Amino acid sequence: MARAVDERLSFFEHLAELRKRILWSVVAVGLGFLLTFHFSDRIIKFLARPLPVKLAFMTPTEAFLVNMKVAMIAGLFLALPVVLYQVWAFVSPGLYKHERRYALPFVIIGTIFFAMGVAFAVLVVIPFALKFLLTYKTEDLTPVLSINSYVDFVLKFTLAFGVVFELPLAITLASRMGVVTPQFLAKNRKYAILI
């Protein structure tokens, strides 16, 4: 069965296509940043709601830079469907026709799963982790949390859970494309659990 690509692209044509896809992704993230920058203080307040103490900033620029960082990450979350589509649009010409039909489900389900992972982290895991970490053997200690370290803590959790929630989609796509088989997955289950 012939590949879906009518003409073989040269190396430089592949680079030009990659550059175009990256440029569209950067534009989408930039627009997301512009849309969310005005609301970054509200996003920080929402993220800080499980804290029993007020956040502090240690340097004059810390609060401003954290607002920029939060707006950039929120913009990336907002632009995620566009970014996922650009990834798929770059990869899809090299796939068989029957493999290409997964484009729209990939973008929609990928966005939904990532959002579910982020929501699970923000609404369940982070409040539980904070309650444990701020009360474990801290009777004689007073927590002073900098806004930068707290936002980094939250971002690490949300990104990690967002990516972990993408695994079912990645495994399903790999299985549908024949990269992995159910027998291979069953045989290597113990390694997956360990990881």
Side-chain angles (χ1 to χ4, degrees):
M1 181 182 252
R3 285 281 177 181
V5 181
D6 295 334
E7 305 173 3
R8 293 199 176 270
L9 298 177
S10 72
F11 176 73
F12 291 109
E13 289 170 324
H14 278 295
L15 286 180
E17 178 69 14
L18 179 62
R19 183 176 67 101
K20 182 175 95 171
R21 298 299 173 192
I22 291 173
L23 185 63
W24 278 112
S25 297
V26 168
V27 167
V29 172
L31 289 174
F33 169 80
L34 292 175
L35 289 171
T36 57
F37 183 70
H38 179 69
F39 303 104
S40 61
D41 58 332
R42 294 180 203 167
I43 296 170
I44 292 171
K45 281 182 187 174
F46 174 75
L47 295 175
R49 78 200 183 313
L51 283 174
V53 294
K54 278 193 166 187
L55 291 170
F57 58 97
M58 307 301 179
T59 63
T61 59
E62 185 175 357
F64 173 74
L65 293 176
V66 167
N67 275 280
M68 296 281 283
K69 183 192 300 186
V70 166
M72 182 60 73
I73 298 298
L76 177 62
F77 286 169
L78 201 60
L80 189 61
V82 175
V83 173
L84 287 175
Y85 173 77
Q86 295 303 323
V87 169
W88 185 262
F90 180 72
V91 171
S92 67
L95 300 175
Y96 293 111
K97 188 175 180 180
H98 71 277
E99 294 170 338
R100 290 171 139 203
R101 68 175 187 222
Y102 301 122
L104 188 59
F106 171 78
V107 172
I108 293 171
I109 295 171
T111 303
I112 290 170
F113 278 20
F114 193 83
M116 285 171 47
V118 168
F120 183 71
V122 169
L123 299 174
V124 178
V125 176
I126 291 171
F128 177 78
L130 285 173
K131 186 175 181 181
F132 173 76
L133 294 171
L134 293 178
T135 58
Y136 182 74
K137 295 188 178 182
T138 57
E139 299 84 12
D140 300 325
L141 303 172
T142 302
V144 179
L145 302 173
S146 83
I147 188 170
N148 189 42
S149 61
Y150 179 71
V151 166
D152 282 345
F153 171 80
V154 170
L155 287 178
K156 286 174 188 170
F157 267 89
T158 55
L159 289 175
F161 276 86
V163 169
V164 166
F165 272 59
E166 294 285 344
L167 284 177
L169 176 63
I171 290 172
T172 302
L173 280 174
S175 176
R176 293 276 177 154
M177 293 179 183
V179 177
V180 296
T181 63
Q183 295 80 15
F184 173 82
L185 293 173
K187 179 181 170 190
N188 294 297
R189 182 182 308 133
K190 57 187 172 191
Y191 302 116
I193 292 170
L194 179 64
I195 291 168

